[in-house]
Amino acid sequence: MKNNRSLMIALSLLAVCMLFQTPAAQAFSLNDLSSSAETAKSAAEGASLLDRAKNVYNGFYDSTENLVDAQTATMSLLNPDEGAALTSKLGDIGSGSAMTRLAKLVGFSESMDSGTTDSSLTSKLTKIITTPGSIEKAQKVYGHASTAYTSGNDSVSEAKTLYTEIKNFIASPSAKGLSETLLSGLGSYSDKILPFIIEHGPERVKTAAQIADTFKGFL
């Protein structure tokens, strides 16, 4: 009888202990799950920003390629030998990091500004664009320049918005604990690539608009 009473007391004490421990365990489990969910949400947000940044880079790079095509074609119309020499230099641009390739391409485009946005360009082209073949070339120049203007304008606008969003995300508490690869990738865009596009993009867009406007008059 005494043993039964002792056993009952022991079981009661164990039940009380378990009663007090269960809420704490549940709270720990819920907090852990909540923290994991927040981390996953932040990681997804960071990955989305990185994808958008890559799209901006690709969009602006493609835009500048179209502008370069328009510029080299314009130079070829004005001076075939000079145009061929310029085109041969394009092979040197596709090497290096993403930032290096973009800087090379933009620099190459800028080097042709004086010859493709000169105030006397229209009068020079008037003497050249007189045959069906030259008109066809003019149409291609206009197509490249128009595409460069549209996509370049969109890329510059998105770069400005994205630059602020990435900077704010990296500085926020939610970015702590995320993978170094993700944060490093975002930092590369916000510190180098996006500022470069914001700085040099508007002038490339302006050049594209000028060339498109000039050649539109011959179509």
Side-chain angles (χ1 to χ4, degrees), residues 113-179:
D113 280 356
S114 60
T116 54
T117 59
D118 184 73
S119 58
S120 63
L121 180 60
T122 300
S123 62
K124 291 177 181 177
L125 291 173
T126 300
K127 301 172 185 178
I128 298 171
I129 303 177
T130 57
T131 64
S134 59
I135 291 175
E136 184 179 347
K137 290 180 181 178
Q139 287 175 328
K140 290 181 179 179
V141 171
Y142 174 74
H144 284 306
S146 296
T147 299
Y149 170 76
T150 302
S151 60
N153 204 36
D154 290 342
S155 295
V156 172
S157 177
E158 174 69 352
K160 291 177 181 178
T161 300
L162 198 53
Y163 171 79
T164 301
E165 289 185 25
I166 291 177
K167 282 291 187 182
N168 289 341
F169 176 79
I170 292 176
S172 68
S174 59
K176 293 180 180 179
L178 296 182
S179 77

Side-chain angles (χ1 to χ4, degrees), residues 10-163:
L11 289 173
S12 298
L13 289 172
L14 179 61
V16 171
C17 289
M18 290 180 66
L19 185 65
F20 280 102
Q21 288 175 356
T22 300
Q26 287 178 337
F28 174 78
S29 178
L30 290 174
N31 288 337
D32 193 44
L33 288 173
S34 177
S35 177
S36 297
E38 285 299 319
T39 300
K41 180 181 177 182
S42 297
E45 183 181 353
S48 176
L49 289 172
L50 187 58
D51 283 342
R52 286 172 59 195
K54 290 177 181 178
N55 288 336
V56 167
Y57 171 87
N58 291 332
F60 184 69
Y61 193 94
D62 290 346
S63 164
T64 309
E65 279 191 321
N66 270 289
L67 175 56
V68 165
D69 286 341
Q71 289 176 303
T72 53
T74 299
M75 299 301 288
S76 294
L77 280 169
L78 297 173
N79 186 329
D81 290 337
E82 185 178 359
L86 286 169
T87 302
S88 68
K89 295 180 181 179
L90 286 172
D92 300 328
I93 293 174
S95 60
S97 66
M99 183 68 237
T100 299
R101 293 196 305 274
L102 181 60
K104 284 181 181 179
L105 188 64
V106 169
F108 183 55
S109 175
E110 290 173 343
S111 72
M112 293 185 284
D113 280 356
S114 60
T116 54
T117 59
D118 184 73
S119 58
S120 63
L121 180 60
T122 300
S123 62
K124 291 177 181 177
L125 291 173
T126 300
K127 301 172 185 178
I128 298 171
I129 303 177
T130 57
T131 64
S134 59
I135 291 175
E136 184 179 347
K137 290 180 181 178
Q139 287 175 328
K140 290 181 179 179
V141 171
Y142 174 74
H144 284 306
S146 296
T147 299
Y149 170 76
T150 302
S151 60
N153 204 36
D154 290 342
S155 295
V156 172
S157 177
E158 174 69 352
K160 291 177 181 178
T161 300
L162 198 53
Y163 171 79

